[in-house]
Amino acid sequence: MTTDNASGLTGELTPDTEDVLEALRDVVDPELGVNVVDLGLVYGVTVSEDRIATIDMTLTSAACPLTDVIEEQAREALEGIVADFRINWVWMPPWGPDKITEDGREQLRALGFNV
């Protein structure tokens, strides 16, 4: 089953991938103050049988120096949800404001951004 869900991801959502996405909502982009899921930075999530999550994620800019901060926040958020995880940093397709969810847009507007 293919789903186009609120996070903007396309693909099959299992309870495991939904749990990972929900946990990743606690990972906040340090520059924008909005979580990585609602910013549309998470392109895909898979969880293997041995409960290792692979997260396809991008950043608003390939030059962003905050990958370590985001990885540490992800580690804390996913503790107890999966046995381990790996972030696969991807740059194609490039991120753009069109990937922000409606919840993300509301959060950005509350912070004073015009989106």
Short mmCIF file of all heavy atoms in Angstrom, two decimals, residues 43 58 90-95 99:
data_model
loop_
_atom_site.label_atom_id
_atom_site.label_comp_id
_atom_site.label_asym_id
_atom_site.label_seq_id
_atom_site.Cartn_x
_atom_site.Cartn_y
_atom_site.Cartn_z
N TYR A 43 13.01 12.29 4.22
CA TYR A 43 12.54 11.79 2.92
C TYR A 43 12.06 10.34 2.98
O TYR A 43 11.28 9.91 2.15
CB TYR A 43 13.64 11.90 1.88
CG TYR A 43 13.91 13.31 1.38
CD1 TYR A 43 13.21 14.42 1.84
CD2 TYR A 43 14.89 13.52 0.42
CE1 TYR A 43 13.48 15.69 1.36
CE2 TYR A 43 15.17 14.80 -0.06
CZ TYR A 43 14.46 15.87 0.41
OH TYR A 43 14.72 17.13 -0.08
N THR A 58 17.56 15.08 4.59
CA THR A 58 18.33 16.14 3.97
C THR A 58 18.38 17.32 4.93
O THR A 58 17.87 17.24 6.04
CB THR A 58 17.72 16.54 2.61
OG1 THR A 58 18.67 17.33 1.89
CG2 THR A 58 16.40 17.29 2.78
N VAL A 90 20.94 12.74 2.26
CA VAL A 90 20.70 12.78 0.81
C VAL A 90 20.52 14.23 0.37
O VAL A 90 20.05 15.07 1.13
CB VAL A 90 19.47 11.93 0.43
CG1 VAL A 90 19.72 10.46 0.69
CG2 VAL A 90 18.22 12.39 1.15
N TRP A 91 20.87 14.49 -0.87
CA TRP A 91 20.78 15.86 -1.39
C TRP A 91 19.90 15.96 -2.62
O TRP A 91 19.67 17.05 -3.13
CB TRP A 91 22.19 16.40 -1.67
CG TRP A 91 23.06 16.21 -0.46
CD1 TRP A 91 24.11 15.35 -0.33
CD2 TRP A 91 22.91 16.84 0.82
NE1 TRP A 91 24.62 15.42 0.95
CE2 TRP A 91 23.90 16.33 1.68
CE3 TRP A 91 22.02 17.79 1.34
CZ2 TRP A 91 24.05 16.72 3.00
CZ3 TRP A 91 22.17 18.19 2.66
CH2 TRP A 91 23.17 17.65 3.47
N MET A 92 19.42 14.82 -3.10
CA MET A 92 18.53 14.83 -4.25
C MET A 92 17.26 14.09 -3.88
O MET A 92 17.34 12.99 -3.35
CB MET A 92 19.19 14.16 -5.46
CG MET A 92 20.39 14.91 -5.96
SD MET A 92 20.09 16.62 -6.35
CE MET A 92 19.52 16.51 -8.01
N PRO A 93 16.10 14.61 -4.12
CA PRO A 93 15.92 15.95 -4.67
C PRO A 93 16.28 16.99 -3.61
O PRO A 93 16.18 16.74 -2.41
CB PRO A 93 14.44 16.01 -5.00
CG PRO A 93 13.80 15.06 -4.04
CD PRO A 93 14.81 13.97 -3.81
N PRO A 94 16.71 18.17 -4.06
CA PRO A 94 17.05 19.21 -3.09
C PRO A 94 15.82 19.63 -2.29
O PRO A 94 14.70 19.61 -2.81
CB PRO A 94 17.59 20.36 -3.94
CG PRO A 94 17.17 20.07 -5.33
CD PRO A 94 16.87 18.60 -5.44
N TRP A 95 16.06 20.00 -1.04
CA TRP A 95 14.97 20.47 -0.19
C TRP A 95 14.51 21.84 -0.69
O TRP A 95 15.29 22.64 -1.19
CB TRP A 95 15.45 20.60 1.25
CG TRP A 95 14.38 21.12 2.16
CD1 TRP A 95 13.42 20.38 2.79
CD2 TRP A 95 14.14 22.48 2.52
NE1 TRP A 95 12.60 21.21 3.52
CE2 TRP A 95 13.01 22.51 3.37
CE3 TRP A 95 14.75 23.68 2.20
CZ2 TRP A 95 12.50 23.67 3.91
CZ3 TRP A 95 14.24 24.86 2.73
CH2 TRP A 95 13.13 24.85 3.58
N LYS A 99 8.29 21.45 0.60
CA LYS A 99 8.28 20.19 1.36
C LYS A 99 7.79 20.38 2.81
O LYS A 99 7.58 19.40 3.52
CB LYS A 99 9.67 19.57 1.35
CG LYS A 99 10.14 19.22 -0.06
CD LYS A 99 11.33 18.34 -0.04
CE LYS A 99 11.88 17.96 -1.37
NZ LYS A 99 11.08 18.02 -2.53
#
